[in-house]
């Protein structure tokens, strides 16, 4: 698996993975419009070649997607992490997260990582905890939803992840 900048074709593939409004909210939060279109998705997630990445298989096909959003004070926010429905429960979420963390360190140097996840997305919560993310109090600039868990990556574990 490799991580590369996403293309419009990758985003079109991703759109096919998100089947309903609830799945869209769990993946992208409350501000992404459903049904997804390429134009609305790119705008809603502020997609750019600097922040949106695809994990591709050996044939170049998208197997996952995630964003790295540069925030204040050396914080990189991992956002909109999703794995192809055909690749779920095979360890690809962990691979994708490790690739994103590695890319964040290459691009931004010494940083710390955060993310938001809905508490009902128990598979994702377990994955992030396995990787060393720790629940924290929700900051004011986070998603205004009581069901969101804000997590930070334990900085002592970054070296072990890459």
């Amino acid at each position: 698996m490799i991580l590369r900048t996403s293309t419009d074709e990758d985003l079109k593939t991703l759109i096919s993975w998100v089947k309903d409004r609830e799945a869209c909210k769990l993946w992208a939060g409350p501000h992404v419009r459903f049904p997804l279109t390429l134009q609305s998705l790119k705008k809603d997630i502020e997609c750019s070649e600097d922040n949106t990445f695809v994990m591709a298989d050996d044939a170049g096909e998208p197997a996952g997607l995630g964003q790295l959003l540069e925030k204040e004070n050396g914080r990189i926010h991992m956002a909109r992490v999703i794995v192809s429905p055909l690749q779920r429960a095979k360890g690809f979420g962990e691979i994708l997260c490790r690739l994103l963390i590695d890319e964040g360190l290459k691009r931004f140097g010494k940083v710390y990582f955060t993310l938001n996840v809905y508490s009902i997305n128990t598979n994702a919560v377990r994955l992030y905890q396995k990787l060393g993310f720790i629940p924290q109090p929700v900051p004011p600039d986070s998603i205004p939803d009581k069901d969101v868990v804000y997590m930070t990556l334990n900085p002592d574990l970054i070296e072990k992840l890459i």
Side-chain angles (χ1 to χ4, degrees), residues 2-142:
I2 62 159
L3 194 71
R4 60 174 167 75
T5 300
S6 69
T7 65
D8 285 357
E9 290 305 310
D10 296 327
L11 294 174
K12 289 175 187 175
T13 299
L14 175 134
I15 288 169
S16 74
W17 299 346
V18 182
K19 300 291 186 192
D20 57 46
R21 189 174 306 283
E22 183 63 19
C24 184
K25 180 181 175 188
L26 282 178
W27 164 63
H31 303 297
V32 174
R33 293 169 279 178
F34 188 85
L36 300 171
T37 67
L38 180 60
Q39 291 74 25
S40 68
L41 177 62
K42 288 175 77 169
K43 182 177 180 182
D44 292 350
I45 69 171
E46 298 177 9
C47 178
S48 79
E49 63 184 38
D50 293 329
N51 71 12
T52 307
F53 303 93
V54 165
M55 178 178 69
D57 64 19
D58 294 339
E61 293 299 314
L65 179 135
Q67 290 188 291
L68 295 172
L69 307 176
E70 189 174 15
K71 301 293 185 177
E72 72 290 333
N73 301 322
R75 178 168 70 102
I76 302 300
H77 191 75
M78 286 177 44
R80 301 179 185 99
V81 175
I82 189 171
V83 172
S84 163
L86 299 174
Q87 303 298 345
R88 292 182 186 156
K90 297 179 182 178
F92 288 106
E94 183 174 348
I95 294 168
L96 175 58
C97 288
R98 289 174 185 268
L99 287 169
L100 287 167
I101 290 165
D102 188 43
E103 185 68 24
L105 292 171
K106 279 187 220 168
R107 284 178 178 253
F108 304 106
K110 187 173 170 99
V111 294
Y112 71 101
F113 294 86
T114 61
L115 58 82
N116 294 319
V117 61
Y118 281 94
S119 59
I120 62 170
N121 192 349
T122 56
N123 289 336
V125 171
R126 275 194 303 271
L127 168 63
Y128 299 139
Q129 288 174 329
K130 177 182 175 184
L131 289 169
F133 283 86
I134 303 163
Q136 301 290 332
V138 178
D141 68 339
S142 189

Side-chain angles (χ1 to χ4, degrees), residues 145-162:
D145 189 323
K146 65 180 176 44
D147 297 322
V148 167
V149 179
Y150 177 77
M151 302 178 94
T152 59
L153 180 58
N154 180 341
D156 297 333
L157 297 177
I158 289 177
E159 290 299 320
K160 294 177 185 174
L161 286 174
I162 56 175

